[in-house]
Amino acid sequence: MDTLDCMRTFVAVAAQHSFTAGARQIGISTKLASKYVARLEERLGAQLFHRTTRSVTLTDTGQAYLERCLPLLDQIDEMEGVIQERQSELAGGIRITAPTGFGSRELVQAVTPFQQAHPKVQIEMLLSDYHAPIVEEGIDLAVRFGKLQDSTLVARKLCDMRLVVAAAPDYLQRNGEPGHPKALATHNCLLLQSSAQPDIWRFREAGEVTSVAVNGSFRANSPRAVAHMAAGGQGIARCPYYTVKPFVESGQLQLLFAECEDAPLPLYVVYPPSRHLTARIRALIEHLATWFQSGGQNLWAP
């Protein structure tokens, strides 16, 4: 039984907190995954997991072993990547996480041509509106918006995304069109809960920042949900341009205050500094940077 197979299985089970899900991740049976981990524990003479009927969690020894396994497996993947690079054919898995709404459409659109060009690369996309711990979950890359909270991560900027204010023509007909950003305080504003300050909207006028306190009858942690609600005439939304673009083009939404928008949101792809990037991961990073910096199918600006 190969020690590397045991180690990869251990890492997968640790990332998924489950023997079943970990086995599925690496394409083996749950029974074989349990056998690999048991053999590893026997070889080390230590228990790596606390096992209950509901959960699988690392012991202190397991956590220490995981922290040493990850860079070692990364180096092995790097060596394999060098060989693949020389053979001009990329292969192997990449785990990437991103926000649910963005990942399910925009990131899929970006990744599709990469997979068409490299059919032997298997991409596992983990979509969540919460930041997953990259190292602990065995994630290779994460796509994140705005100011990065974890300064230890290595970041590659992909693009800037406009934050726009939009409303449906029928809402404006019923309630009047605000003539100045400060007038938003009297409107039903649809709030993006996942932003840093959802009830404070900022605008830039003549080099000065204007902050407007807003409120309304709807909040959501998904910008797509906010955009759809605005398109239904329920209020005024402020969200990334890509979410409202289809509605603007169809006439269901119109942009407001385009001349004094706040600074755009940066979009990054990040990874741990300890990660030895394989050829396939480097290639994906370069592809994403090229895709989004070239306009990402005009999703970021009119």
Side-chain angles (χ1 to χ4, degrees):
M1 188 175 295
D2 192 294
T3 300
L4 284 177
D5 288 336
C6 295
M7 291 170 65
R8 291 187 189 281
T9 302
F10 162 72
V11 169
V13 172
Q16 298 290 338
H17 309 289
S18 163
F19 277 90
T20 301
R24 187 184 305 118
Q25 177 186 318
I26 57 177
I28 63 175
S29 69
T30 303
K31 182 177 180 180
L32 186 56
S34 297
K35 185 177 181 180
Y36 278 165
V37 172
R39 180 62 62 88
L40 190 60
E41 290 179 322
E42 180 182 347
R43 179 189 177 108
L44 296 171
Q47 183 179 347
L48 300 175
F49 290 112
H50 295 299
R51 300 164 174 84
T52 70
T53 56
R54 294 187 177 182
S55 66
V56 176
T57 57
L58 288 166
T59 62
D60 290 342
T61 301
Q63 181 64 44
Y65 188 67
L66 177 66
E67 291 170 1
R68 288 158 178 79
C69 268
L70 289 172
L72 179 59
L73 292 176
D74 281 343
Q75 290 176 29
I76 293 170
D77 286 342
E78 175 68 17
M79 287 188 292
E80 292 176 350
V82 170
I83 301 302
Q84 291 172 6
E85 216 166 9
R86 290 181 177 178
Q87 293 177 336
S88 299
E89 185 173 27
L90 301 178
I94 301 176
R95 302 186 84 211
I96 183 169
T97 184
T100 304
F102 179 82
S104 60
R105 182 175 176 180
E106 280 68 37
L107 186 57
V108 165
Q109 289 177 337
V111 165
T112 296
F114 179 85
Q115 287 219 280
Q116 290 172 340
H118 307 288
K120 291 189 178 180
V121 174
Q122 299 92 40
I123 292 179
E124 181 182 0
M125 198 173 289
L126 309 170
L127 302 182
S128 172
D129 292 317
Y130 299 95
H131 287 180
I134 296 178
V135 174
E136 292 83 348
E137 299 291 340
I139 293 168
D140 296 304
L141 299 172
V143 175
R144 292 183 175 169
F145 297 102
K147 184 178 179 181
L148 296 175
Q149 298 176 354
D150 189 343
S151 61
T152 66
L153 297 174
V154 179
R156 174 75 178 270
K157 188 175 180 179
L158 299 180
C159 67
D160 284 319
M161 295 196 301
R162 287 177 61 196
L163 281 173
V164 300
V165 176
D170 62 325
Y171 172 87
L172 298 176
Q173 187 175 6
R174 295 193 315 268
N175 299 279
E177 182 172 341
H180 188 273
K182 291 182 179 179
L184 290 169
T186 64
H187 281 265
N188 188 46
C189 293
L190 312 174
L191 306 184
L192 182 56
Q193 194 66 25
S194 56
S195 59
Q197 290 181 295
D199 53 358
I200 301 293
W201 292 1
R202 292 181 174 83
F203 300 86
R204 294 178 182 268
E205 299 179 279
E208 299 293 328
V209 176
T210 299
S211 297
V212 182
V214 297
N215 208 339
S217 60
F218 181 79
R219 294 173 180 250
N221 66 350
S222 164
R224 288 203 187 280
V226 172
H228 276 272
M229 188 64 73
Q234 299 306 304
I236 299 178
R238 180 175 179 265
C239 45
Y241 177 71
Y242 75 88
T243 62
V244 304
K245 180 177 184 286
F247 301 116
V248 172
E249 292 176 341
S250 68
Q252 291 174 269
L253 286 175
Q254 69 181 65
L255 300 182
L256 305 173
F257 311 121
E259 71 285 354
C260 56
E261 292 169 0
D262 194 14
L265 267 180
L267 178 69
Y268 297 97
V269 60
V270 302
Y271 55 90
S274 60
R275 184 64 48 114
H276 295 274
L277 298 182
T278 62
R280 61 182 177 272
I281 294 176
R282 288 200 306 271
L284 179 56
I285 292 173
E286 291 301 322
H287 169 79
L288 292 176
T290 299
W291 173 272
F292 288 111
Q293 288 168 12
S294 66
Q297 302 299 307
N298 296 318
L299 292 171
W300 320 124

